[in-house]
Amino acid sequence: MDRVALRGLRARGHHGVFPEEREKGQIFVVDLVLGLDTRPAAAGDDLAKTVHYGVVAEEVVGVVEGEPVDLIETLAERIAARCLQHDPVREVEVVVHKPDAPITVPFDDVTITITRSRA
């Protein structure tokens, strides 16, 4: 399976369990690795036979900016489901970064990584 990766997609979302997270929002960063067969697209140099990563990027930002959820696990699941709606995509790895998580000790990042595939 071939891979198309998008790294560092940034969007402001209002996800979290604390009221201040829901009110103020924060930046979330998303990395994606889409698994698909790119041979048909490459053979005909045809965008219609692969995944349009620009469209996927816009859709992922829309999910992050959309309906708030408590957990980044839920957010990652929604992103994965959206990516799998693209017909060529057979598998997706989603990493959601929450670099401004409300943690009381110094830290660099909080992430959730999930991998989902078509059933």
Side-chain angles (χ1 to χ4, degrees):
M1 193 171 312
D2 304 319
R3 304 275 184 238
V4 173
L6 291 92
R7 307 243 188 248
L9 296 171
R10 297 182 192 299
R12 185 169 202 74
H14 293 266
H15 312 289
V17 296
F18 297 115
E20 58 272 14
E21 293 180 288
R22 292 293 184 103
E23 292 167 16
K24 294 179 184 177
Q26 59 192 292
I27 296 296
F28 292 84
V29 181
V30 178
D31 302 324
L32 301 172
V33 179
L34 307 171
L36 64 151
D37 183 357
T38 62
R39 289 175 293 191
D45 199 27
D46 187 353
L47 177 60
K49 293 182 179 176
T50 188
V51 65
H52 191 309
Y53 51 80
V55 170
V56 172
E58 291 171 358
E59 292 171 352
V60 168
V61 166
V63 172
V64 174
E65 292 176 343
E67 180 184 350
V69 296
D70 288 343
L71 304 177
I72 59 174
E73 292 86 342
T74 306
L75 181 60
E77 196 70 40
R78 288 183 177 181
I79 291 167
R82 184 68 195 107
C83 293
L84 288 170
Q85 288 179 0
H86 290 269
D87 202 35
V89 177
R90 296 289 171 230
E91 181 178 271
V92 63
E93 179 183 273
V94 177
V95 181
V96 175
H97 302 257
K98 190 174 179 181
D100 296 321
I103 297 175
T104 60
V105 298
F107 73 102
D108 289 329
D109 199 4
V110 172
T111 67
I112 176 74
T113 303
I114 66 170
T115 302
R116 299 292 181 265
S117 58
R118 292 181 187 269

